[in-house]
Amino acid sequence: MKEIYVTQENGISPAETTHSIEQLLAQYPDVRKVLIIPPDFTRCYSYAGEITQILYKKLSPQAQVQVMPALGTHMEMDAQEKEKMFHGVIPDSAFLVHHWQTDTISIGTVPKSVVEEISGGLYSTDIEVEVNEKLIHGGYDLILSVGQVVPHEVVGMANYSKNIFVGIGGRQMINKSHMLSAICGMEQALGVADSPARKVFDYAQEHFLTELPLVYIQTVTTLDPQEHVSLKGLYIGSSRKPFEHACALADKLNITHIGRPAKKVVTYLDPYELKTTWVGNKGIYRTRMAVADGGELIVLAPGVKAFGENKEMDEMIRTYGYKGRDYILDLFNKGIFQDRIMAAAHLIQGSADGRFHVTYCTRSDNLSKEEIHNVGYDWMEYEQAIKTYDPHTLKEGWNTLKDGEEIYFVKTPALGLWKVD
């Protein structure tokens, strides 16, 4: 196919976006069955909802179009989230739900020797590559993977083949890619295009997906001064090149270098977007490199009501907690996590490892002080916290409070990475 690369740092208009989609679809005039794979609502700033609407409107008159959100291990999108992301354009009958524990088939294996080479010998295992069976047996003429390239705690830069191998992937790949990243070191992967997990995905893409009619539609976004999503880059193609173009722009627009470590960082988790620590810990991952040694990270989490996105992971977090890399690795080496390795990786990545303190600010009727303390974080009641740290009055970046305290505020951690130069 002829790939499409559009970069407009002042913002790509809806008309320009539609034109790019029309250029793509003109190359596939005879499709009769199409699968669209957008992210779920936890990626509501991706502009993927708008693009999926355009695709559905253009394709549905002549083709059967199905939409399978790339849930990974996240909970199914509810009706309110679908309405907010897709504005009623896509009927319920068009949605497919990915169940990562039951709906996948194996399409190959990343050999142990490859994983050992990628990890520098730190992780010795093969990795079975599993994807939703409909990807292989669904009879699609065209598969469109839509999503946002942005710094990511596991894969370095999100999207591209991660949307397939994790978003609609299975237990082994999700578990082991997360553990690979945790063992190799999250802070060495964040914002890095060629991270260890990405190299695993690249191997699987090259060896097991080349026969599929798969096209990637990748975005780079920011928020404008009115806090509306602004599409800055749109890169479409079946090769790795669109991802590389998107990474270059995301590195420029979505990584903030704050100049000096902050003794206190405050970050806010949108209650409509982030309802568990499993996804809400973006507030920790994306800001931890900005926090000074011995400093504090305050996570304002008014909508967080659980730890895991499902009962299995929620129980694992409640049982073992965010209590440090060495503690979790010891349990891992004793076989505690078995086929739930992703829980171990998540617990390592969500820990401050004693370098700084994390205070989670929840509503006590959502998650109590005792529940937060039991997983290893400090706690403050949300309503009390916002008397000092009001997310609606703080400005992005450095703030000096009334008592003279200096803090650094991040309002939308899912949109980037903050680090010291």
Side-chain angles (χ1 to χ4, degrees):
M1 67 163 295
K2 182 179 180 182
E3 297 191 333
I4 300 162
Y5 313 142
V6 183
T7 304
Q8 294 282 354
E9 290 192 31
N10 60 348
I12 301 170
S13 70
E16 290 173 308
T17 304
T18 299
H19 177 66
S20 295
I21 297 301
E22 290 171 343
Q23 286 182 299
L24 162 65
L25 297 182
Q27 300 179 60
Y28 300 92
D30 301 319
V31 294
R32 292 293 174 262
K33 189 175 184 183
V34 179
L35 177 65
I36 306 173
I37 309 170
D40 65 8
F41 196 71
T42 63
R43 304 290 192 274
C44 62
Y45 300 111
S46 62
Y47 208 82
E50 290 82 351
I51 289 172
T52 301
Q53 292 172 55
I54 296 169
L55 289 167
Y56 191 86
K57 289 176 182 178
K58 296 289 182 183
L59 286 164
S60 58
Q62 74 272 1
Q64 179 188 358
V65 183
Q66 295 179 318
V67 178
M68 182 187 293
L71 297 177
T73 59
H74 299 174
M75 62 185 72
E76 180 181 348
M77 292 179 71
D78 61 27
Q80 185 180 35
E81 290 172 336
K82 289 177 183 175
E83 175 61 33
K84 286 180 178 177
M85 193 157 179
F86 304 113
H87 298 282
V89 169
I90 301 162
D92 279 345
S93 59
F95 282 101
L96 303 175
V97 179
H98 172 66
H99 300 100
W100 64 279
Q101 296 163 309
T102 58
D103 291 350
T104 63
I105 59 172
S106 175
I107 59 173
T109 301
V110 180
K112 181 168 72 171
S113 60
V114 172
V115 178
E116 288 175 338
E117 181 180 355
I118 288 170
S119 68
L122 294 175
Y123 197 34
S124 181
T125 182
D126 58 16
I127 301 177
E128 189 174 5
V129 183
E130 305 148 304
V131 296
N132 190 287
E133 62 90 16
K134 288 184 173 62
L135 193 74
I136 306 301
H137 300 310
Y140 298 108
D141 304 309
L142 183 60
I143 300 167
L144 299 169
S145 175
V146 189
Q148 177 189 17
V149 175
V150 65
H152 189 269
E153 52 278 3
V154 173
V155 73
M157 283 288 190
N159 206 243
Y160 182 39
S161 50
K162 176 184 178 290
N163 215 39
I164 305 299
F165 297 125
V166 174
I168 58 168
R171 185 181 288 269
Q172 263 223 29
M173 179 63 98
I174 296 173
N175 270 305
K176 292 184 177 181
S177 64
H178 281 64
M179 198 63 193
L180 170 68
S181 179
I183 288 174
C184 291
M186 180 178 64
E187 293 188 359
Q188 283 68 51
L190 273 163
V192 177
D194 296 316
S195 67
R198 175 61 65 193
K199 291 176 181 177
V200 168
F201 297 155
D202 283 348
Y203 181 96
Q205 166 82 30
E206 180 183 349
H207 286 81
F208 309 123
L209 291 186
T210 55
E211 300 303 314
L212 289 178
L214 174 60
V215 176
Y216 293 98
I217 302 173
Q218 295 167 94
T219 69
V220 177
T221 69
T222 62
L223 291 183
D224 67 18
Q226 289 72 46
E227 297 193 0
H228 300 135
V229 176
S230 179
L231 180 63
K232 306 294 191 180
L234 179 60
Y235 307 99
I236 303 171
S238 54
S239 78
R240 197 178 192 271
K241 287 189 182 347
F243 172 67
E244 292 166 359
H245 283 286
C247 284
L249 185 61
D251 182 86
K252 181 178 180 180
L253 299 182
N254 298 128
I255 299 180
T256 301
H257 301 269
I258 73 168
R260 55 189 168 87
K263 291 182 180 179
K264 184 173 286 185
V265 174
V266 178
T267 189
Y268 175 69
L269 306 183
D270 187 325
Y272 297 105
E273 177 195 6
L274 303 167
K275 302 178 179 69
T276 67
T277 62
W278 186 269
V279 290
N281 274 359
K282 292 178 189 301
I284 299 176
Y285 312 144
R286 307 292 180 83
T287 64
R288 63 184 300 139
M289 296 170 76
V291 184
D293 292 352
E296 183 177 14
L297 172 61
I298 294 179
V299 182
L300 302 172
V304 170
K305 301 177 180 180
F307 295 108
E309 289 278 296
N310 55 63
K311 184 178 179 181
E312 180 184 28
M313 291 300 110
D314 194 79
E315 289 177 351
M316 295 295 286
I317 296 168
R318 289 175 184 272
T319 300
Y320 300 107
Y322 302 97
K323 297 177 182 177
R325 174 188 174 92
D326 291 345
Y327 169 73
I328 297 298
L329 280 179
D330 180 60
L331 294 174
F332 171 72
N333 291 330
K334 291 176 179 175
I336 293 295
F337 294 96
Q338 297 182 2
D339 62 350
R340 296 170 292 187
I341 300 171
M342 80 182 80
H346 171 76
L347 294 175
I348 291 171
Q349 291 163 337
S351 169
D353 256 333
R355 190 176 69 78
F356 56 92
H357 301 281
V358 177
T359 300
Y360 242 91
C361 306
T362 63
R363 293 189 164 108
S364 56
D365 54 351
N366 286 343
L367 282 177
S368 69
K369 175 181 180 179
E370 291 73 20
E371 288 173 300
I372 295 294
H373 278 178
N374 284 341
V375 301
Y377 296 140
D378 292 330
W379 179 85
M380 186 185 299
E381 164 65 47
Y382 176 75
E383 301 300 340
Q384 181 65 32
I386 63 173
K387 291 179 181 178
T388 304
Y389 313 108
D390 186 343
H392 304 296
T393 59
L394 292 171
K395 70 177 188 292
E396 188 80 25
W398 294 103
N399 291 256
T400 301
L401 306 183
K402 291 180 181 178
D403 63 0
E405 182 182 34
E406 185 182 52
I407 68 164
Y408 192 93
F409 179 60
V410 175
K411 188 165 188 179
T412 315
L415 267 180
L417 171 66
W418 289 258
K419 61 192 295 188
V420 178
D421 290 332

PDB file of all heavy atoms in Angstrom, residues 18 21 25 36 49-63 65 67 86-91:
ATOM      1  N   THR A  18     -10.166  13.286   7.637  1.00  0.00           N
ATOM      2  CA  THR A  18     -11.086  12.548   6.765  1.00  0.00           C
ATOM      3  C   THR A  18     -10.456  12.288   5.403  1.00  0.00           C
ATOM      4  O   THR A  18     -10.575  11.186   4.839  1.00  0.00           O
ATOM      5  CB  THR A  18     -12.405  13.327   6.605  1.00  0.00           C
ATOM      6  OG1 THR A  18     -13.020  13.478   7.887  1.00  0.00           O
ATOM      7  CG2 THR A  18     -13.365  12.596   5.670  1.00  0.00           C
ATOM      8  N   ILE A  21      -8.050   9.416   5.624  1.00  0.00           N
ATOM      9  CA  ILE A  21      -8.766   8.143   5.709  1.00  0.00           C
ATOM     10  C   ILE A  21      -9.314   7.753   4.332  1.00  0.00           C
ATOM     11  O   ILE A  21      -9.270   6.576   3.939  1.00  0.00           O
ATOM     12  CB  ILE A  21      -9.901   8.227   6.745  1.00  0.00           C
ATOM     13  CG1 ILE A  21      -9.330   8.479   8.149  1.00  0.00           C
ATOM     14  CG2 ILE A  21     -10.759   6.966   6.722  1.00  0.00           C
ATOM     15  CD1 ILE A  21      -8.372   7.416   8.641  1.00  0.00           C
ATOM     16  N   LEU A  25      -8.649   4.278   2.282  1.00  0.00           N
ATOM     17  CA  LEU A  25      -9.707   3.358   1.860  1.00  0.00           C
ATOM     18  C   LEU A  25      -9.801   3.241   0.342  1.00  0.00           C
ATOM     19  O   LEU A  25     -10.246   2.208  -0.172  1.00  0.00           O
ATOM     20  CB  LEU A  25     -11.047   3.801   2.449  1.00  0.00           C
ATOM     21  CG  LEU A  25     -11.124   3.788   3.984  1.00  0.00           C
ATOM     22  CD1 LEU A  25     -12.505   4.199   4.456  1.00  0.00           C
ATOM     23  CD2 LEU A  25     -10.744   2.417   4.535  1.00  0.00           C
ATOM     24  N   ILE A  36     -12.087  -3.288  12.771  1.00  0.00           N
ATOM     25  CA  ILE A  36     -11.404  -2.108  13.297  1.00  0.00           C
ATOM     26  C   ILE A  36     -11.032  -2.403  14.750  1.00  0.00           C
ATOM     27  O   ILE A  36     -11.873  -2.868  15.536  1.00  0.00           O
ATOM     28  CB  ILE A  36     -12.282  -0.846  13.227  1.00  0.00           C
ATOM     29  CG1 ILE A  36     -12.797  -0.624  11.795  1.00  0.00           C
ATOM     30  CG2 ILE A  36     -11.505   0.379  13.709  1.00  0.00           C
ATOM     31  CD1 ILE A  36     -13.805   0.509  11.681  1.00  0.00           C
ATOM     32  N   GLY A  49     -11.142   7.464  18.762  1.00  0.00           N
ATOM     33  CA  GLY A  49     -12.598   7.417  18.695  1.00  0.00           C
ATOM     34  C   GLY A  49     -13.127   8.142  17.470  1.00  0.00           C
ATOM     35  O   GLY A  49     -14.003   7.637  16.747  1.00  0.00           O
ATOM     36  N   GLU A  50     -12.575   9.325  17.207  1.00  0.00           N
ATOM     37  CA  GLU A  50     -13.006  10.096  16.034  1.00  0.00           C
ATOM     38  C   GLU A  50     -12.645   9.379  14.744  1.00  0.00           C
ATOM     39  O   GLU A  50     -13.447   9.339  13.791  1.00  0.00           O
ATOM     40  CB  GLU A  50     -12.348  11.479  16.065  1.00  0.00           C
ATOM     41  CG  GLU A  50     -12.856  12.410  17.168  1.00  0.00           C
ATOM     42  CD  GLU A  50     -12.232  12.173  18.532  1.00  0.00           C
ATOM     43  OE1 GLU A  50     -11.511  11.164  18.710  1.00  0.00           O
ATOM     44  OE2 GLU A  50     -12.471  12.987  19.436  1.00  0.00           O
ATOM     45  N   ILE A  51     -11.463   8.803  14.689  1.00  0.00           N
ATOM     46  CA  ILE A  51     -11.037   8.096  13.469  1.00  0.00           C
ATOM     47  C   ILE A  51     -11.889   6.851  13.239  1.00  0.00           C
ATOM     48  O   ILE A  51     -12.275   6.543  12.104  1.00  0.00           O
ATOM     49  CB  ILE A  51      -9.541   7.750  13.554  1.00  0.00           C
ATOM     50  CG1 ILE A  51      -8.711   9.034  13.434  1.00  0.00           C
ATOM     51  CG2 ILE A  51      -9.135   6.747  12.479  1.00  0.00           C
ATOM     52  CD1 ILE A  51      -7.234   8.847  13.696  1.00  0.00           C
ATOM     53  N   THR A  52     -12.209   6.134  14.302  1.00  0.00           N
ATOM     54  CA  THR A  52     -13.058   4.949  14.170  1.00  0.00           C
ATOM     55  C   THR A  52     -14.443   5.326  13.663  1.00  0.00           C
ATOM     56  O   THR A  52     -15.032   4.610  12.836  1.00  0.00           O
ATOM     57  CB  THR A  52     -13.152   4.219  15.524  1.00  0.00           C
ATOM     58  OG1 THR A  52     -11.833   3.844  15.941  1.00  0.00           O
ATOM     59  CG2 THR A  52     -14.009   2.966  15.417  1.00  0.00           C
ATOM     60  N   GLN A  53     -14.952   6.459  14.114  1.00  0.00           N
ATOM     61  CA  GLN A  53     -16.251   6.924  13.598  1.00  0.00           C
ATOM     62  C   GLN A  53     -16.183   7.194  12.097  1.00  0.00           C
ATOM     63  O   GLN A  53     -17.082   6.812  11.333  1.00  0.00           O
ATOM     64  CB  GLN A  53     -16.662   8.194  14.331  1.00  0.00           C
ATOM     65  CG  GLN A  53     -16.992   8.001  15.791  1.00  0.00           C
ATOM     66  CD  GLN A  53     -17.190   9.334  16.498  1.00  0.00           C
ATOM     67  OE1 GLN A  53     -18.006  10.154  16.069  1.00  0.00           O
ATOM     68  NE2 GLN A  53     -16.442   9.561  17.558  1.00  0.00           N
ATOM     69  N   ILE A  54     -15.117   7.865  11.660  1.00  0.00           N
ATOM     70  CA  ILE A  54     -14.961   8.150  10.230  1.00  0.00           C
ATOM     71  C   ILE A  54     -14.902   6.847   9.434  1.00  0.00           C
ATOM     72  O   ILE A  54     -15.572   6.686   8.397  1.00  0.00           O
ATOM     73  CB  ILE A  54     -13.694   8.989   9.975  1.00  0.00           C
ATOM     74  CG1 ILE A  54     -13.805  10.364  10.635  1.00  0.00           C
ATOM     75  CG2 ILE A  54     -13.435   9.146   8.468  1.00  0.00           C
ATOM     76  CD1 ILE A  54     -12.498  11.143  10.666  1.00  0.00           C
ATOM     77  N   LEU A  55     -14.100   5.911   9.928  1.00  0.00           N
ATOM     78  CA  LEU A  55     -13.964   4.620   9.238  1.00  0.00           C
ATOM     79  C   LEU A  55     -15.307   3.906   9.133  1.00  0.00           C
ATOM     80  O   LEU A  55     -15.663   3.379   8.066  1.00  0.00           O
ATOM     81  CB  LEU A  55     -12.962   3.733   9.984  1.00  0.00           C
ATOM     82  CG  LEU A  55     -11.493   4.137   9.897  1.00  0.00           C
ATOM     83  CD1 LEU A  55     -10.672   3.358  10.925  1.00  0.00           C
ATOM     84  CD2 LEU A  55     -10.944   3.912   8.489  1.00  0.00           C
ATOM     85  N   TYR A  56     -16.040   3.882  10.225  1.00  0.00           N
ATOM     86  CA  TYR A  56     -17.319   3.172  10.210  1.00  0.00           C
ATOM     87  C   TYR A  56     -18.298   3.814   9.224  1.00  0.00           C
ATOM     88  O   TYR A  56     -18.976   3.114   8.444  1.00  0.00           O
ATOM     89  CB  TYR A  56     -17.933   3.128  11.611  1.00  0.00           C
ATOM     90  CG  TYR A  56     -19.111   2.177  11.685  1.00  0.00           C
ATOM     91  CD1 TYR A  56     -18.915   0.829  11.938  1.00  0.00           C
ATOM     92  CD2 TYR A  56     -20.404   2.631  11.459  1.00  0.00           C
ATOM     93  CE1 TYR A  56     -19.982  -0.056  11.966  1.00  0.00           C
ATOM     94  CE2 TYR A  56     -21.484   1.757  11.486  1.00  0.00           C
ATOM     95  CZ  TYR A  56     -21.266   0.412  11.742  1.00  0.00           C
ATOM     96  OH  TYR A  56     -22.332  -0.468  11.760  1.00  0.00           O
ATOM     97  N   LYS A  57     -18.359   5.136   9.236  1.00  0.00           N
ATOM     98  CA  LYS A  57     -19.268   5.827   8.321  1.00  0.00           C
ATOM     99  C   LYS A  57     -18.902   5.572   6.856  1.00  0.00           C
ATOM    100  O   LYS A  57     -19.782   5.415   5.995  1.00  0.00           O
ATOM    101  CB  LYS A  57     -19.242   7.330   8.600  1.00  0.00           C
ATOM    102  CG  LYS A  57     -19.918   7.741   9.902  1.00  0.00           C
ATOM    103  CD  LYS A  57     -19.748   9.237  10.135  1.00  0.00           C
ATOM    104  CE  LYS A  57     -20.360   9.676  11.447  1.00  0.00           C
ATOM    105  NZ  LYS A  57     -20.149  11.142  11.707  1.00  0.00           N
ATOM    106  N   LYS A  58     -17.590   5.532   6.560  1.00  0.00           N
ATOM    107  CA  LYS A  58     -17.143   5.344   5.178  1.00  0.00           C
ATOM    108  C   LYS A  58     -17.318   3.897   4.715  1.00  0.00           C
ATOM    109  O   LYS A  58     -17.610   3.653   3.534  1.00  0.00           O
ATOM    110  CB  LYS A  58     -15.670   5.743   5.049  1.00  0.00           C
ATOM    111  CG  LYS A  58     -15.367   7.203   5.320  1.00  0.00           C
ATOM    112  CD  LYS A  58     -15.879   8.092   4.219  1.00  0.00           C
ATOM    113  CE  LYS A  58     -15.529   9.554   4.489  1.00  0.00           C
ATOM    114  NZ  LYS A  58     -16.097  10.456   3.446  1.00  0.00           N
ATOM    115  N   LEU A  59     -17.129   2.954   5.619  1.00  0.00           N
ATOM    116  CA  LEU A  59     -17.094   1.538   5.221  1.00  0.00           C
ATOM    117  C   LEU A  59     -18.439   0.833   5.324  1.00  0.00           C
ATOM    118  O   LEU A  59     -18.732  -0.072   4.530  1.00  0.00           O
ATOM    119  CB  LEU A  59     -16.077   0.792   6.090  1.00  0.00           C
ATOM    120  CG  LEU A  59     -14.607   1.057   5.791  1.00  0.00           C
ATOM    121  CD1 LEU A  59     -13.738   0.589   6.960  1.00  0.00           C
ATOM    122  CD2 LEU A  59     -14.193   0.356   4.501  1.00  0.00           C
ATOM    123  N   SER A  60     -19.248   1.196   6.315  1.00  0.00           N
ATOM    124  CA  SER A  60     -20.442   0.403   6.608  1.00  0.00           C
ATOM    125  C   SER A  60     -21.484   0.355   5.489  1.00  0.00           C
ATOM    126  O   SER A  60     -22.226  -0.630   5.405  1.00  0.00           O
ATOM    127  CB  SER A  60     -21.092   0.890   7.910  1.00  0.00           C
ATOM    128  OG  SER A  60     -21.444   2.249   7.835  1.00  0.00           O
ATOM    129  N   PRO A  61     -21.581   1.365   4.600  1.00  0.00           N
ATOM    130  CA  PRO A  61     -22.576   1.218   3.523  1.00  0.00           C
ATOM    131  C   PRO A  61     -22.321   0.032   2.592  1.00  0.00           C
ATOM    132  O   PRO A  61     -23.273  -0.520   2.027  1.00  0.00           O
ATOM    133  CB  PRO A  61     -22.458   2.550   2.769  1.00  0.00           C
ATOM    134  CG  PRO A  61     -21.982   3.527   3.781  1.00  0.00           C
ATOM    135  CD  PRO A  61     -21.015   2.735   4.619  1.00  0.00           C
ATOM    136  N   GLN A  62     -21.048  -0.378   2.425  1.00  0.00           N
ATOM    137  CA  GLN A  62     -20.775  -1.454   1.470  1.00  0.00           C
ATOM    138  C   GLN A  62     -20.115  -2.675   2.088  1.00  0.00           C
ATOM    139  O   GLN A  62     -19.907  -3.680   1.425  1.00  0.00           O
ATOM    140  CB  GLN A  62     -19.896  -0.957   0.314  1.00  0.00           C
ATOM    141  CG  GLN A  62     -18.434  -0.726   0.661  1.00  0.00           C
ATOM    142  CD  GLN A  62     -18.127   0.661   1.201  1.00  0.00           C
ATOM    143  OE1 GLN A  62     -19.041   1.474   1.344  1.00  0.00           O
ATOM    144  NE2 GLN A  62     -16.871   0.925   1.499  1.00  0.00           N
ATOM    145  N   ALA A  63     -19.771  -2.607   3.372  1.00  0.00           N
ATOM    146  CA  ALA A  63     -19.053  -3.717   4.000  1.00  0.00           C
ATOM    147  C   ALA A  63     -19.609  -4.011   5.391  1.00  0.00           C
ATOM    148  O   ALA A  63     -20.191  -3.143   6.039  1.00  0.00           O
ATOM    149  CB  ALA A  63     -17.563  -3.387   4.103  1.00  0.00           C
ATOM    150  N   VAL A  65     -18.795  -4.264   9.014  1.00  0.00           N
ATOM    151  CA  VAL A  65     -17.727  -3.681   9.825  1.00  0.00           C
ATOM    152  C   VAL A  65     -17.926  -4.096  11.276  1.00  0.00           C
ATOM    153  O   VAL A  65     -18.992  -3.876  11.858  1.00  0.00           O
ATOM    154  CB  VAL A  65     -17.708  -2.144   9.720  1.00  0.00           C
ATOM    155  CG1 VAL A  65     -16.544  -1.575  10.525  1.00  0.00           C
ATOM    156  CG2 VAL A  65     -17.619  -1.707   8.263  1.00  0.00           C
ATOM    157  N   VAL A  67     -16.096  -3.933  15.243  1.00  0.00           N
ATOM    158  CA  VAL A  67     -15.185  -3.119  16.047  1.00  0.00           C
ATOM    159  C   VAL A  67     -14.846  -3.883  17.317  1.00  0.00           C
ATOM    160  O   VAL A  67     -15.741  -4.205  18.111  1.00  0.00           O
ATOM    161  CB  VAL A  67     -15.816  -1.748  16.391  1.00  0.00           C
ATOM    162  CG1 VAL A  67     -14.884  -0.940  17.276  1.00  0.00           C
ATOM    163  CG2 VAL A  67     -16.160  -0.984  15.113  1.00  0.00           C
ATOM    164  N   PHE A  86     -17.409   7.079  20.931  1.00  0.00           N
ATOM    165  CA  PHE A  86     -17.850   6.858  19.547  1.00  0.00           C
ATOM    166  C   PHE A  86     -19.140   7.592  19.197  1.00  0.00           C
ATOM    167  O   PHE A  86     -19.630   7.500  18.077  1.00  0.00           O
ATOM    168  CB  PHE A  86     -18.024   5.356  19.292  1.00  0.00           C
ATOM    169  CG  PHE A  86     -16.780   4.554  19.586  1.00  0.00           C
ATOM    170  CD1 PHE A  86     -16.744   3.648  20.635  1.00  0.00           C
ATOM    171  CD2 PHE A  86     -15.633   4.716  18.819  1.00  0.00           C
ATOM    172  CE1 PHE A  86     -15.604   2.906  20.913  1.00  0.00           C
ATOM    173  CE2 PHE A  86     -14.479   3.985  19.089  1.00  0.00           C
ATOM    174  CZ  PHE A  86     -14.469   3.082  20.137  1.00  0.00           C
ATOM    175  N   HIS A  87     -19.721   8.308  20.155  1.00  0.00           N
ATOM    176  CA  HIS A  87     -20.859   9.216  19.932  1.00  0.00           C
ATOM    177  C   HIS A  87     -22.031   8.557  19.223  1.00  0.00           C
ATOM    178  O   HIS A  87     -22.701   9.199  18.391  1.00  0.00           O
ATOM    179  CB  HIS A  87     -20.392  10.458  19.171  1.00  0.00           C
ATOM    180  CG  HIS A  87     -19.371  11.258  19.913  1.00  0.00           C
ATOM    181  ND1 HIS A  87     -19.689  12.103  20.951  1.00  0.00           N
ATOM    182  CD2 HIS A  87     -18.014  11.309  19.795  1.00  0.00           C
ATOM    183  CE1 HIS A  87     -18.577  12.657  21.434  1.00  0.00           C
ATOM    184  NE2 HIS A  87     -17.548  12.183  20.762  1.00  0.00           N
ATOM    185  N   GLY A  88     -22.303   7.300  19.529  1.00  0.00           N
ATOM    186  CA  GLY A  88     -23.471   6.630  18.981  1.00  0.00           C
ATOM    187  C   GLY A  88     -23.367   6.246  17.521  1.00  0.00           C
ATOM    188  O   GLY A  88     -24.338   5.736  16.946  1.00  0.00           O
ATOM    189  N   VAL A  89     -22.211   6.482  16.904  1.00  0.00           N
ATOM    190  CA  VAL A  89     -22.054   6.183  15.475  1.00  0.00           C
ATOM    191  C   VAL A  89     -22.030   4.681  15.217  1.00  0.00           C
ATOM    192  O   VAL A  89     -22.543   4.193  14.209  1.00  0.00           O
ATOM    193  CB  VAL A  89     -20.758   6.834  14.929  1.00  0.00           C
ATOM    194  CG1 VAL A  89     -20.418   6.325  13.536  1.00  0.00           C
ATOM    195  CG2 VAL A  89     -20.905   8.355  14.928  1.00  0.00           C
ATOM    196  N   ILE A  90     -21.446   3.939  16.143  1.00  0.00           N
ATOM    197  CA  ILE A  90     -21.282   2.491  15.948  1.00  0.00           C
ATOM    198  C   ILE A  90     -22.353   1.757  16.744  1.00  0.00           C
ATOM    199  O   ILE A  90     -22.428   1.887  17.969  1.00  0.00           O
ATOM    200  CB  ILE A  90     -19.875   2.050  16.396  1.00  0.00           C
ATOM    201  CG1 ILE A  90     -18.821   2.799  15.583  1.00  0.00           C
ATOM    202  CG2 ILE A  90     -19.703   0.532  16.239  1.00  0.00           C
ATOM    203  CD1 ILE A  90     -17.451   2.780  16.182  1.00  0.00           C
ATOM    204  N   PRO A  91     -23.208   0.964  16.093  1.00  0.00           N
ATOM    205  CA  PRO A  91     -24.260   0.245  16.821  1.00  0.00           C
ATOM    206  C   PRO A  91     -23.674  -0.846  17.714  1.00  0.00           C
ATOM    207  O   PRO A  91     -22.601  -1.385  17.440  1.00  0.00           O
ATOM    208  CB  PRO A  91     -25.112  -0.360  15.697  1.00  0.00           C
ATOM    209  CG  PRO A  91     -24.174  -0.481  14.538  1.00  0.00           C
ATOM    210  CD  PRO A  91     -23.234   0.685  14.651  1.00  0.00           C
TER     211      PRO A  91
END
